[in-house]
Amino acid sequence: LAADKLEKIWTDWEAFAQYAFNKSHSTCYALVAYQTAYLKANYPGEYMASVLTHNLNNMEKVTFFMEECKRIGVPVLGPDINESQYHFAVNKKGAIRFGLGAVKGVGEGAVVAIVDERMLNGPFVSVFDLTRRINLRAANKKAFESLAYAGGFDSFPDVHRAQYFHSENSDNINFLEKAIRYGTNFQVSKNSSQQSLFGEASGVEEPEPNVPACEPWGSLEKLKYEREVVGIYISGHPLDNYRLELTSFCNTAIADFQDLAKLKGKELAVGGIVTAAQHRVSKMGKPFGSFMLEDYLSTFEFMVFGEDYVKFKAFLVQGFFLYIKGKVQERYMQPDKLEFKISSMELLTELRDKMTKNLTIQMPLSALTNDFIDKLTGLMKENASEGQSKVPLRFSVYDKEENIDIVMPSKKMKVNPSNEFLAVLTRMPGIGYKLN
């Protein structure tokens, strides 16, 4: 840090220490702050795994710390039957692996049975290998279902999550149940043959059940089940496709609505996914509605009454992605209470086409090389072939040392600001973008 900034920090601390803490207390906090800062800087995976483990019972905090992991570049991977421990742990590649103990319905006994067998005899190669080897009295049907929903079996080749719950016949026995029955029969046969006079030679090997063919779940369905068994989204978030809309066109987060007094009088724009919605009738016979809106970190319940309900009730549907504008104001005839008065609702799916006026590609002057120009030209040609709505393109070239920023609009070229196009831009070193 610059000397003037360090001086300010020290002055603030010095003034703070005179009234807030005695020296012994301050010293303890300083030591803990140093230790945790050192661990986070030098062992980020191990440190964040410990933080996540110690907040396992508070999914709101787990969500917050998972976002922090993403910010500092530490991947948090879902549970895996061949890699997860009971708690959050760091794998060989430095990524954090979700603990099996965090999955609802998978008790400690099931986790111990899985981890102990894996450590003793190596990784499991299939769900059949799993049911043959572990103690099925410790890991019941519910545990297997929860692991499948959470993605714990994703490392098994050639089987996707939907197949575990698919039944081909009219008996309504799905593939996962057949796999468990197969494992139970195998273990019973193995135990009985060991007690037999003729040993294993007398046993008849049961064939493995066929893996049924069915369509894989879409990303939203996968995420829905992940949340049901873990309490949070793991492999992604339903809003990931709309992250750009949230950052470009929203000026507040849902967490801010917990304190409406701070937002009083402000024109607000917020976005999220509807996780629950109700259409109700008051005691006076007037219809009204309520819905829970969720973004990456928080959830808040919004109410809609009277004419607003009539105008917006079609948007109150679970699973809809909404962009909402409004203002925090005093309630009618209740000046001591505040409410968020909704002025408009739109679908996030349509927002980019409606709101985007141009796309600005931001680049440092040093990145403006022939190689970069060739790559960008090829990318533009690919984008030009996409039959989607286009917006004007601008370039912002800056030089931090000279404190110069020149914005140059393209007279002829327009682009489709699709997620795929923007993802390619993001992977180019030093390149940024902005929607206006």
Side-chain angles (χ1 to χ4, degrees), residues 81-138:
I81 199 74
N82 278 325
E83 201 169 70
S84 293
Q85 305 295 326
Y86 185 83
H87 295 299
F88 289 88
V90 179
N91 66 12
K92 294 179 181 178
K93 296 181 179 179
I96 298 174
R97 180 64 74 173
F98 224 89
L100 297 179
V103 183
K104 297 175 185 176
V106 184
E108 185 174 359
V111 178
V112 170
I114 291 168
V115 174
D116 284 355
E117 172 60 29
R118 188 181 74 208
M119 297 296 290
L120 190 63
N121 295 309
F124 305 103
V125 297
S126 69
V127 68
F128 305 119
D129 184 40
L130 177 67
T131 60
R132 283 194 298 259
R133 289 168 51 185
I134 68 168
N135 181 358
L136 294 176
R137 290 188 296 273

Side-chain angles (χ1 to χ4, degrees), residues 16-313:
F16 180 72
Q18 291 177 0
Y19 68 89
F21 292 117
N22 55 39
K23 289 185 178 180
S24 61
H25 210 149
S26 300
T27 302
C28 294
Y29 273 92
L31 179 61
V32 172
Y34 167 77
Q35 290 172 331
T36 54
Y38 176 84
L39 290 172
K40 187 175 182 182
N42 294 278
Y43 302 94
E46 290 80 358
Y47 174 76
M48 292 307 299
S50 178
V51 171
L52 287 165
T53 294
H54 284 85
N55 288 276
L56 195 56
N57 295 323
N58 188 332
M59 282 301 157
E60 188 171 335
K61 285 191 174 181
V62 168
T63 302
F64 173 81
F65 288 122
M66 284 180 67
E67 283 294 311
E68 174 64 10
C69 289
K70 186 181 296 185
R71 188 190 69 81
I72 64 176
V74 178
V76 180
L77 309 177
D80 181 82
I81 199 74
N82 278 325
E83 201 169 70
S84 293
Q85 305 295 326
Y86 185 83
H87 295 299
F88 289 88
V90 179
N91 66 12
K92 294 179 181 178
K93 296 181 179 179
I96 298 174
R97 180 64 74 173
F98 224 89
L100 297 179
V103 183
K104 297 175 185 176
V106 184
E108 185 174 359
V111 178
V112 170
I114 291 168
V115 174
D116 284 355
E117 172 60 29
R118 188 181 74 208
M119 297 296 290
L120 190 63
N121 295 309
F124 305 103
V125 297
S126 69
V127 68
F128 305 119
D129 184 40
L130 177 67
T131 60
R132 283 194 298 259
R133 289 168 51 185
I134 68 168
N135 181 358
L136 294 176
R137 290 188 296 273
N140 57 20
K141 175 187 170 184
K142 175 64 176 175
F144 275 83
E145 289 177 340
S146 295
L147 286 170
Y149 279 134
F153 300 149
D154 285 0
S155 59
F156 293 149
D158 304 322
V159 185
H160 55 74
R161 298 185 198 182
Q163 288 174 298
Y164 290 105
F165 301 94
H166 184 73
S167 55
E168 291 184 310
N169 304 319
S170 58
D171 54 10
N172 290 324
I173 300 175
N174 61 38
F175 171 60
L176 190 57
E177 292 174 297
K178 291 178 180 178
I180 297 171
R181 288 187 182 186
Y182 162 80
T184 302
N185 293 337
F186 177 89
Q187 294 185 21
V188 169
S189 176
K190 182 179 179 181
N191 291 334
S192 62
S193 66
Q194 288 175 346
Q195 298 172 9
S196 168
L197 177 64
F198 301 101
E200 292 188 14
S202 63
V204 178
E205 186 174 340
E206 181 179 344
E208 296 178 352
N210 293 323
V211 180
C214 68
E215 289 294 319
W217 290 332
S219 60
L220 288 180
E221 193 166 8
K222 286 171 63 175
L223 291 170
K224 180 189 74 172
Y225 288 126
E226 284 180 5
R227 182 169 182 139
E228 286 180 2
V229 297
V230 180
I232 58 174
Y233 303 112
I234 305 173
S235 60
H237 195 285
L239 289 170
D240 283 345
N241 287 334
Y242 308 103
R243 187 183 285 268
L244 185 62
E245 283 83 349
L246 296 179
T247 56
S248 299
F249 306 123
C250 296
N251 61 10
T252 189
I254 290 177
D256 298 332
F257 285 87
Q258 301 298 334
D259 189 353
L260 292 180
K262 291 183 178 180
L263 304 176
K264 184 179 178 181
K266 296 181 180 179
E267 295 288 343
L268 305 177
V270 65
I273 180 174
V274 178
T275 55
Q278 289 186 324
H279 299 265
R280 299 149 68 182
V281 178
S282 70
K283 293 180 181 179
M284 302 296 292
K286 296 181 179 180
F288 69 98
S290 65
F291 62 99
M292 302 294 294
L293 193 70
E294 179 178 310
D295 61 9
Y296 282 97
L297 295 176
S298 300
T299 302
F300 189 79
E301 183 178 27
F302 294 88
M303 308 294 294
V304 190
F305 300 96
E307 292 182 0
D308 290 340
Y309 173 72
V310 175
K311 187 191 305 182
F312 301 126
K313 65 179 180 180

